[in-house]
Amino acid sequence: WGVKILGTSFEALDLAEDRGRFSELLTELNIPFPKFGVATTADEASKLADELDFPLLVRPSYVLGGQGMKIVINKKELETHVIDLLKSIPGNKLLLDHYLAGAIEAEADAICDGENVYIIGIMEHIEPCGVHSGDSNATLPPFNLGEFVLQQIKDHTKKIAVALKTKGLINIQFAVKDDTVYIIEANPRASRTVPFIAKAYGEPYVNYATKVMLGAKVTDFTFNPQLKGYA
């Protein structure tokens, strides 16, 4: 249509949403992610389940807010959920991920200008991994993640933000198991956790990110987050 989009390009948004292409990018960057597959029919989903092993996290692609996401533990549950999803969102691809049982979920929000990355906050979820972040409690800063894990989160966030040529905000969700940090998904856009971090740290991150979308550099700003205790 020839409309100029401010900030991150449409191509980068599409790459982050397309599970196959995004997984190829993670493989290139040497960043781990749970085993997954894509299905368009109940039969395909059933065959995939044999390769991936239960439990599985099943969700449609290209939806916001965890719509239609469910953890299934056997073939019967899988079939029921897949048929429901295909009825409600016909023609959509379904993502099946091996669910990392017992993992801790964490997420990070960052501002990127395409080259420089500033992580505005790293949060740890209280609920088990797989409860959608809209329904969970996130704590800032993390209360139970060691330095080794936090460094992996920082490294992964910076690599992905730059690889997607992000201009503005990006949110990345992680599963932490046995001191390894896996990527659940990356959203190169503003997320619900940004206003939470901005209020907790008393910093106008949305203002900074908007200026970056308009051409400013991350290095133009002085960040001074203030938080006593936990939010």
Side-chain angles (χ1 to χ4, degrees):
W1 296 95
V3 177
K4 181 173 165 40
I5 299 174
L6 294 175
T8 308
S9 70
F10 166 78
E11 288 77 20
L13 298 171
D14 192 54
L15 170 57
E17 284 288 344
D18 184 320
R19 198 50 192 273
R21 289 173 66 209
F22 183 58
S23 299
E24 283 168 17
L25 178 70
L26 292 178
T27 304
E28 276 171 37
L29 296 172
N30 201 24
I31 295 174
F33 53 91
K35 286 191 298 178
F36 84 100
V38 180
T40 52
T41 66
D43 284 345
E44 282 177 18
S46 182
K47 280 179 193 153
L48 259 179
D50 294 332
E51 294 169 33
L52 298 173
D53 297 331
F54 289 99
L56 293 171
L57 189 65
V58 182
R59 55 196 166 147
S61 57
Y62 292 99
V63 294
L64 282 175
Q67 179 192 339
M69 185 167 87
K70 190 175 183 183
I71 297 163
V72 299
I73 58 168
N74 56 42
K75 281 276 177 87
K76 189 165 183 277
E77 274 194 13
L78 173 69
E79 196 171 297
T80 305
H81 189 51
V82 165
I83 288 166
D84 285 349
L85 284 177
L86 292 172
K87 269 186 199 161
S88 61
I89 315 174
N92 201 345
K93 290 177 183 171
L94 303 179
L95 307 175
L96 279 69
D97 292 77
H98 175 68
Y99 174 65
L100 296 165
I104 294 167
E105 186 162 344
E107 57 186 305
D109 281 301
I111 303 172
C112 177
D113 59 22
E115 297 167 358
N116 308 290
V117 181
Y118 178 77
I119 297 171
I120 66 170
I122 296 171
M123 295 145 285
E124 181 180 351
H125 289 204
I126 289 172
E127 290 80 6
C129 191
V131 174
H132 186 260
S133 51
D135 298 318
S136 62
N137 292 277
T139 62
L140 185 75
F143 57 92
N144 194 31
L145 300 178
E147 274 309 311
F148 177 60
V149 164
L150 286 171
Q151 193 57 53
Q152 288 176 72
I153 289 173
K154 289 170 189 171
D155 292 345
H156 294 349
T157 300
K158 288 176 179 177
K159 276 188 190 172
I160 291 167
V162 171
L164 289 173
K165 301 184 180 70
T166 308
K167 290 209 174 143
L169 286 156
I170 183 167
N171 169 270
I172 304 178
Q173 292 162 22
F174 309 93
V176 182
K177 187 166 184 180
D178 302 329
D179 274 352
T180 298
V181 177
Y182 299 85
I183 300 297
I184 299 173
E185 63 180 20
N187 299 300
R189 56 170 171 78
S191 195
R192 65 175 61 77
T193 40
V194 172
F196 164 59
I197 298 168
K199 287 175 186 174
Y201 283 152
E203 291 268 76
Y205 293 124
V206 176
N207 185 329
Y208 297 155
T210 305
K211 286 175 177 165
V212 166
M213 289 169 73
L214 294 167
K217 292 283 182 197
V218 167
T219 46
D220 294 342
F221 306 104
T222 305
F223 298 102
N224 186 29
Q226 304 285 328
L227 173 63
K228 286 179 178 148
Y230 289 86

